[in-house]
Amino acid sequence: MLSAFGRAFRTPDLRRKLLFTLGIVTIFRLGAFIPAPGVSYNNVQQCLQLTAGNSSLQQMVNMFSGGALLQVSIFALGIMPYITASIIVQLLRVVIPRFQELYEEGASGQTKLTQYTRYLTIALGLLNATTLVSLARSGQLFQGCSLPLIPDNSIITTILLIITLTAGTGLIMWMGELVTEKGIGNGMSLLIFTSIAAGFVPAMNSIIGAKGWGTFIAVLLVGLVTVALVVFVEQSQRRIPVQYAKRMVGRRTVGGTTTYIPIKVNMAGVIPVIFASSILYLPALIAQFNTPTDGRPIPEWVVWINNNLTKGDHPLYMAVYFLLIIFFTYFYVSITFNPEEVSDNMKKYGGFIPGIRAGRPTAEYLQYVLSRITLPGALYLGIVALIPLVALVLVQANQNFPFGGTSILIMVGVGLETVKQIDAQLQQRHYEGLLR
């Protein structure tokens, strides 16, 4: 392994890409600790010691920002506006025919969709920045901490703070695209990887300090089993054989090859977990806005929501979370993989699945396989996402349990993809890749 990394750094072109990527990652992490203008750094640190936020969605957003959200730094919004914009643009392909036409146009259409994603990212960044500043000024960012995070409440300071946070989002998006273009791997994914990895050491230290070394070793064992499970499932796929008939194009014979359609067990990635967390946050948000502050009795439905749908260790919360993940897995896979489109493309180029007629029977067969292979993928996502909630019950850990949920899914997926890209570039220059 060490010799493989040595070969990577001895290759000038690959070394330049790796160092460029490390430089961007370093700048990204430094920006997570630079306070935004007008924010009291000392008060933020005191509030962080008193409380770390009780909202599961807030904790998830803080994880994606590498802890920068609760630091109220210039990179406080992190990569979440871009993730949300990308998901929205992808879903709009089903609603807006023009977006689907751009997607099918190839490189030129993809460029326009990317531009729309950038515009939407800035718009969402502006909206999120306004919300974050409002929460910080009203004292709701840290429940139970009354220290003023923004001592100066003037309109100039507020506008400057919102512009800075929005500009930070744009800068992160630009750095991610630079890594994709000049570095190694997908830039946005690597920045998310960096943000999540930055929270591992503090989380493990907190477990040692609160529960001791016995619990720490148990958490490590759970982490190893979880990583092994995620790697196994993420690499698993159903390969549907496809054969192309021979045909004459001019004086040449083309076709006659055999290939396959890879259908991954987890085609939806981490998107269903994010959707389910966001949906489960809505009842708590509605209950918070309907809680009287003038001494009147709290409505019974608000009390029921606070007791059952806001705590991660409640059985009903876990059950609803698990079912929502399964639902969104099927929903997202049905949007991203269209069996009829795949069948039409195969028919256009003379391809067919052995034993299956071309056209509608092929689409029905692909739908049959897809619906059955999505079930284990959905169950796997639900089980992995429940690991931090189960840990909350068993060892009284917080919901940012390091080995489980979105963190491991993203880190393993990004790590595997990056290693594959490094391995492919090494094999272009050497007989051996990164891993033997």
Side-chain angles (χ1 to χ4, degrees):
M1 176 64 74
L2 293 179
S3 63
F5 279 108
R7 289 198 307 273
F9 275 95
R10 282 196 300 269
T11 305
D13 184 39
L14 190 55
R15 180 177 65 244
R16 184 168 58 253
K17 291 183 177 181
L18 288 172
L19 292 177
F20 180 82
T21 303
L22 291 176
I24 293 293
V25 167
T26 303
I27 296 173
F28 175 67
R29 287 305 302 155
L30 286 176
F33 297 98
I34 300 176
V39 175
S40 174
Y41 179 78
N42 293 329
N43 290 349
V44 169
Q45 297 306 312
Q46 292 182 36
C47 288
L48 277 173
Q49 294 177 0
L50 292 175
T51 174
N54 299 319
S55 165
S56 60
L57 183 64
Q58 187 186 61
Q59 292 286 1
M60 183 181 69
V61 175
N62 189 52
M63 177 188 70
F64 280 121
S65 66
L69 173 71
L70 298 183
Q71 296 278 355
V72 199
S73 69
I74 59 174
F75 287 168
L77 301 181
I79 204 74
M80 277 302 288
Y82 182 84
I83 297 174
T84 308
S86 301
I87 295 173
I88 291 175
V89 170
Q90 196 168 12
L91 294 178
L92 285 178
R93 286 168 38 200
V94 183
V95 181
I96 304 177
R98 174 59 180 164
F99 278 36
Q100 183 64 27
E101 292 174 4
L102 288 174
Y103 177 76
E104 294 174 353
E105 282 182 6
S108 61
Q110 293 284 352
T111 303
K112 290 184 179 179
L113 287 178
T114 302
Q115 196 68 21
Y116 294 155
T117 305
R118 292 170 184 164
Y119 294 147
L120 186 57
T121 299
I122 298 300
L124 290 175
L126 185 62
L127 178 63
N128 292 347
T130 306
T131 304
L132 179 60
V133 172
S134 300
L135 290 174
R137 289 181 59 181
S138 62
Q140 296 181 2
L141 184 62
F142 296 100
Q143 298 290 338
C145 182
S146 59
L147 294 175
L149 302 183
I150 307 175
D152 185 5
N153 288 330
S154 64
I155 187 67
I156 296 178
T157 302
T158 303
I159 293 176
L160 178 62
L161 189 53
I162 292 175
I163 292 175
T164 301
L165 295 177
T166 307
T169 298
L171 182 59
I172 291 173
M173 179 175 60
W174 178 67
M175 290 193 301
E177 292 180 352
L178 278 181
V179 172
T180 304
E181 181 182 351
K182 301 181 180 180
I184 288 290
N186 184 286
M188 299 300 178
S189 300
L190 281 175
L191 293 184
I192 298 174
F193 179 96
T194 304
S195 300
I196 297 173
F200 263 60
V201 175
M204 300 304 290
N205 286 336
S206 65
I207 291 176
I208 295 176
K211 300 298 178 181
W213 285 95
T215 304
F216 174 75
I217 294 174
V219 168
L220 280 182
L221 293 176
V222 171
L224 290 175
V225 173
T226 305
V227 170
L229 170 67
V230 172
V231 171
F232 176 75
V233 178
E234 291 295 325
Q235 297 288 87
S236 301
Q237 57 183 221
R238 167 74 183 274
R239 296 182 175 182
I240 299 178
V242 177
Q243 190 169 349
Y244 286 91
K246 292 183 179 180
R247 52 186 180 143
M248 295 295 295
V249 177
R251 295 184 178 181
R252 293 183 302 153
T253 302
V254 297
T257 58
T258 301
T259 182
Y260 59 86
I261 301 174
I263 299 181
K264 294 183 62 177
V265 174
N266 179 27
M267 290 187 65
V270 75
I271 302 299
V273 181
I274 297 176
F275 279 2
S277 301
S278 303
I279 293 297
L280 269 180
Y281 179 64
L282 291 178
L285 187 63
I286 295 173
Q288 182 179 355
F289 281 114
N290 286 273
T291 301
T293 58
D294 53 0
R296 291 180 299 168
I298 302 176
E300 294 184 2
W301 66 272
V302 174
V303 175
W304 187 86
I305 289 177
N306 289 332
N307 292 336
N308 297 281
L309 293 179
T310 59
K311 299 178 181 179
D313 56 351
H314 197 279
L316 180 61
Y317 183 96
M318 294 185 184
V320 174
Y321 189 41
F322 186 79
L323 293 176
L324 281 175
I325 289 175
I326 293 178
F327 168 76
F328 281 118
T329 301
Y330 275 94
F331 172 74
Y332 191 75
V333 169
S334 66
I335 290 176
T336 55
F337 187 90
N338 189 347
E340 293 184 1
E341 181 182 349
V342 175
S343 174
D344 291 341
N345 290 334
M346 289 171 52
K347 187 177 180 180
K348 185 187 303 182
Y349 295 103
F352 62 93
I353 299 174
I356 307 295
R357 292 177 57 190
R360 186 169 184 80
T362 298
E364 293 175 351
Y365 176 76
L366 291 175
Q367 183 62 49
Y368 172 83
V369 174
L370 186 65
S371 61
R372 278 151 183 77
I373 203 171
T374 303
L375 178 61
L379 296 176
Y380 145 79
L381 275 180
I383 293 172
V384 173
L386 284 179
I387 289 177
L389 302 183
V390 174
L392 182 66
V393 177
L394 297 181
V395 299
Q396 294 299 310
N398 59 24
Q399 294 193 32
N400 269 345
F401 186 70
F403 295 108
T406 55
S407 57
I408 288 296
L409 289 171
I410 293 174
M411 290 190 66
V412 170
V414 175
L416 289 173
E417 187 62 32
T418 306
V419 167
K420 285 180 181 178
Q421 290 200 21
I422 297 175
D423 186 69
Q425 297 215 17
L426 274 179
Q427 287 183 350
Q428 291 178 0
R429 300 165 178 84
H430 305 278
Y431 286 110
E432 295 179 351
L434 182 64
L435 301 176
R436 296 183 181 180

